[in-house]
Amino acid sequence: KGLDSRRFVLAQETCISYAHFMYRGNILHANIVCRSSEVSRIFPNDIHFIGSLGRTARRELGLDAETPVRFNLTLDSAHVIFSPTR
């Protein structure tokens, strides 16, 4: 499909459960849903992965490396796991 398609979708049962990419108005829009994320330890890794996913999508779509990627991130569940102190 061409860049006007809406079929650039990743869906899975992991913490990052949905990624939808649309190229509109010279911007690659990345709509990402995190089903669940532990924000104090895991979420920083998720953010780096999401950024990498956007760069990969841009490259796979044949877009210039300077094409902006606009992220819309939804966290369905953001939580912190506390460890008891000794």
Side-chain angles (χ1 to χ4, degrees):
K1 300 292 178 184
L3 289 176
D4 57 344
S5 174
R6 294 180 181 245
R7 296 186 186 189
F8 306 109
V9 176
L10 164 73
Q12 54 189 13
E13 294 181 14
T14 61
C15 291
I16 298 173
S17 62
Y18 179 81
H20 179 216
F21 298 92
M22 291 189 310
Y23 183 67
R24 300 288 184 267
N26 299 319
I27 298 171
L28 180 59
H29 297 268
N31 300 303
I32 311 292
V33 176
C34 289
R35 177 186 57 78
S36 177
S37 187
E38 198 285 323
V39 294
S40 66
R41 293 179 297 143
I42 305 300
F43 188 64
N45 296 325
D46 290 344
I47 288 294
H48 286 287
F49 176 74
I50 289 166
S52 176
L53 191 59
R55 288 187 297 276
T56 299
R58 180 174 55 197
R59 184 179 62 246
E60 289 296 316
L61 293 171
L63 299 172
D64 184 272
E66 299 302 314
T67 300
V69 181
R70 180 173 295 157
F71 292 92
N72 179 29
L73 177 61
T74 301
L75 295 174
D76 283 342
S77 175
H79 51 276
V80 176
I81 298 174
F82 291 100
S83 298
T85 57
R86 295 180 184 226

